[in-house]
Amino acid sequence: MDVLMRELFSTDIGLLSLFTIAFIIVMAVFIYKFVRRHIAEDRAAAEQQKPQLRT
């Protein structure tokens, strides 16, 4: 295990792998929040239009 951690944190390819993993996690969190925000906005817009459709 010690060899793997040394490889991950001290070699170029290890650091690149670590950066890539961190970037993917940050991107996934951003996309999740972005989609949730837009779903909430669309839901609110649909709720505003419902009473107008009934009359």
Side-chain angles (χ1 to χ4, degrees), residues 2-55:
D2 185 43
V3 174
L4 295 175
M5 289 300 161
R6 195 174 325 121
E7 179 94 14
L8 183 63
F9 290 109
S10 63
T11 63
D12 290 340
I13 196 68
L15 291 173
L16 183 60
S17 298
L18 196 60
F19 172 76
T20 301
I21 292 167
F23 179 77
I24 295 296
I25 291 171
V26 169
M27 188 171 58
V29 169
F30 172 78
I31 290 171
Y32 175 77
K33 288 184 177 186
F34 180 82
V35 168
R36 295 268 304 188
R37 184 176 64 228
H38 283 280
I39 288 173
E41 289 173 1
D42 288 346
R43 197 173 280 161
E47 289 296 323
Q48 281 184 339
Q49 290 178 356
K50 272 186 182 177
Q52 296 172 357
L53 294 175
R54 290 181 185 166
T55 57

